[in-house]
Amino acid sequence: MTAPQNPARRATGDRPREQWTGQIGFILSAIGSAVGLGNIWRFPGVAYENGGGAFLIPYLVALLTAGIPILFLDYALGHRFRGAAPTAFRRVGRALGRWTESLGWFQVAIAFVIGLYYTAVIAWALSYFVFSFDLRWGDDPAAFLIGEYLQTGDPGISFEFVPGVLIPLALVWIATIAVLAAGVAKGLQRVNVIFLPLLVIAFAILVVRALFLDGAAAGLDALFTPNWAALADPNVWIAAYSQIFFSLSIAFGIMITYASYRRRRANLTAPGLVVAFANSSFEILAGIGVFATLGFFAFQQGIEVSELEGLTGVGLSFITFPAIVSQMPGGPLFGCLFFGSLALAGFTSLISVLQVVSAAVQEKLAVSRRTAALSVGIISAVLSILLFSTTTGLLALDVTDQWANNIGIVASAVVTTILVIWVLRRGPELRAHLNAVSTFKVGGIWIALVGVLSPIVLGYMLIQRIVTLIVDGYADMPGWYLLLFGWGTIAVILVITVVMTVLPWRESPDRFTPWPEYRAPDRTPTQGERGASS
């Protein structure tokens, strides 16, 4: 009788790994992750405030010099080292082991925190989808949102739950857990194959309707009329890099995890270009739809678009747009399309964020996919409901989002680029891997962009934001509240990072050999290569 193998000596690399069914499934899922709430409620306002049509120049430069290069870096790490972020970073670090693994857990912790509050916004969008049928927000959408719907109180910690938020929030969590438990092909891919086309169709109908509203042309003029002087302002360029960075789902584990589910000889760079430009195309489409609608709103009030308030974020989506819907012909249908699109975009991004956490837990604890999905989902759902379905949920969400995104994700990107390119010196290896499996080849300039330009620009963004938050605070919130939900968020992320890093692996990730590089596919692979790819 053969003695059972010591679980501590088994290797996670020996397990069959889930895979996308094909390239189309991967591309649609990656686009679904990238296209989220920020595309609809952030890009139009950022573009308008930073030079209008002229903003497209720094935006495109940022896409080509930082967004796509870091996207390729995430793809290369996930695909070559076949694991979620902690596994991939541990393997790429080799001798450093846990030191590099901790960066992966830092990214997982960021995704975990973002998932807690991102779900709440989707719940709001679902509620407003229902409210659109009878325009329930009435004549004062701001008062309805803050008072009647969210019942927002003063900054603090409240356990006074708001049923109108709690119920849809619970439903979103149930749907999310079900998708994660179904797996990569039957869960994530299937949802994106269905929801992404629905999102595009719904939003395209919305845009076409908006273009025929009175005043739509004035709104488009406000968005696209270039202010060339703005290009001389460094803050405009920083805004462009910031928008690209946050909209592509890079540097916090999503694309590393997604790429790890691709087959060995899967093209990486060409699909990456499709994902990047599809995401940017949707942002421009969102800008057209949003500002055509804002032009109508300004026309109805007899003012200029520049005099409108609430052009980004929660204010745009849940105050300005309801006010517009109340005044336009066919408003209920328009409202359903807008909030339905918001919910679809948010949900396809949410499941990618939580897959980062679920996959990492699955690999570290050597548990089944369903066990990991249920464990992560239930813990996240409980915390999300406790924090964001109460009368202080809006304020907690706003502060947590600022710190998790502007400090957590940016810091992760800076450390990742410096660690991989300069400390570990794995740039040439990853570049060779990308070129071995991809049709679009990357040159030495890719390493320079990832290792030099990106950390400089992102490092400046990080320092600037930290100084601003320390000196000026945020949104007139009391200092103790920012300490608790702002800097406290970073502290929680660091604690999760340390705890999960020191926790022992149930199955060793170190007994692993990256895929050997292969020659052109028209030759017969060697016996060793056939064994490695099986």
Side-chain angles (χ1 to χ4, degrees), residues 10 98 107 117 137 163 201 204 220 223 294 305 334 340 363 375 408 445 454 458 471 486 520:
R10 292 202 301 266
R98 284 184 174 176
Q107 295 188 353
Y117 65 80
W137 47 76
I201 292 170
L220 296 180
L223 175 61
L294 291 173
V305 174
F334 192 90
E363 292 173 14
S375 302
I445 186 65
S454 293
L458 296 176
V471 174

Side-chain angles (χ1 to χ4, degrees), residues 161-483:
F161 294 99
V162 181
V165 178
L166 190 152
I167 294 172
L169 181 56
L171 293 176
V172 172
W173 276 112
I174 291 171
T176 301
I177 294 171
V179 171
L180 294 179
V184 171
K186 294 181 179 179
L188 297 169
Q189 179 175 307
R190 184 170 294 174
V191 165
N192 281 286
V193 167
I194 296 172
F195 280 14
L196 190 63
L198 280 178
L199 168 63
V200 173
I201 292 170
F203 208 81
I205 295 172
L206 182 149
V207 170
V208 171
R209 176 69 185 95
L211 290 174
F212 286 93
L213 293 171
D214 293 332
L220 296 180
D221 286 343
L223 175 61
F224 289 114
T225 298
N227 175 16
W228 300 112
L231 297 181
D233 184 356
N235 290 323
V236 171
W237 291 83
I238 295 298
Y241 277 89
S242 176
Q243 177 61 31
I244 285 294
F245 184 74
F246 292 132
S247 70
L248 270 182
S249 296
I250 52 179
F252 63 111
I254 294 177
M255 292 307 167
I256 291 177
T257 304
Y258 270 29
S260 73
Y261 299 126
R262 299 221 65 191
R263 295 170 182 170
R264 180 189 174 190
R265 301 188 180 189
N267 198 337
L268 296 178
T269 56
L273 294 175
V274 173
V275 171
F277 285 107
N279 175 70
S280 295
S281 298
F282 190 88
E283 289 195 316
I284 294 173
L285 180 68
I288 293 172
V290 168
F291 268 82
T293 310
L294 291 173
F296 164 78
F297 193 39
F299 174 81
Q300 290 294 104
Q301 298 182 67
I303 60 175
E304 298 293 327
V305 174
S306 59
E307 298 177 59
L308 293 175
E309 297 180 355
L311 301 184
T312 58
V314 173
L316 172 68
S317 297
F318 297 102
I319 296 176
T320 304
F321 254 85
I324 296 170
V325 168
S326 295
Q327 296 187 23
M328 65 186 300
L333 175 60
F334 192 90
C336 289
L337 287 172
F338 178 78
F339 291 110
S341 298
L342 205 62
L344 288 173
F347 189 73
T348 55
S349 294
L350 172 67
I351 56 177
S352 69
V353 169
L354 290 172
Q355 179 65 20
V356 173
V357 187
S358 181
V361 170
Q362 181 183 349
E363 292 173 14
K364 182 84 174 191
L365 302 182
V367 296
S368 68
R369 176 186 69 237
R370 287 184 176 84
T371 300
L374 286 171
S375 302
V376 169
I378 292 173
I379 292 172
S380 298
V382 171
L383 292 175
S384 177
I385 289 171
L386 286 175
L387 290 171
F388 302 111
S389 66
T390 67
T391 55
T392 55
L394 173 61
L395 303 179
L397 185 153
D398 190 20
V399 174
T400 302
D401 176 63
Q402 280 293 319
W403 266 257
N405 273 287
N406 292 288
I407 295 181
I409 296 180
V410 179
S412 169
V414 173
V415 174
T416 298
T417 53
I418 293 175
L419 176 72
V420 173
I421 302 300
W422 294 106
V423 178
L424 301 177
R425 303 281 182 173
R426 303 302 283 270
E429 175 187 347
L430 295 174
R431 175 194 166 205
H433 181 79
L434 287 171
N435 289 338
V437 299
S438 303
T439 53
F440 177 82
K441 310 300 181 183
V442 296
I445 186 65
W446 174 74
I447 298 178
L449 292 173
V450 172
V452 180
L453 180 64
S454 293
I456 289 175
V457 174
L458 296 176
Y460 176 80
M461 284 171 51
L462 178 63
I463 294 171
Q464 182 189 55
R465 192 59 184 163
I466 290 175
V467 171
T468 300
L469 291 172
I470 292 175
V471 174
D472 300 331
Y474 176 70
D476 297 323
M477 299 278 190
W480 69 267
Y481 194 77
L482 298 181
L483 184 64

Side-chain angles (χ1 to χ4, degrees), residues 96-144:
L96 295 179
R98 284 184 174 176
W99 289 100
T100 52
E101 178 191 335
S102 63
L103 175 57
W105 285 114
F106 185 77
Q107 295 188 353
V108 170
I110 294 171
F112 174 74
V113 169
I114 290 176
L116 299 183
Y117 65 80
Y118 205 86
T119 325
V121 181
I122 300 171
W124 299 351
L126 288 177
S127 294
Y128 269 70
F129 174 81
V130 175
F131 297 162
S132 296
F133 287 96
D134 58 3
L135 307 180
R136 198 170 307 175
W137 47 76
D139 297 329
D140 192 346
F144 175 83

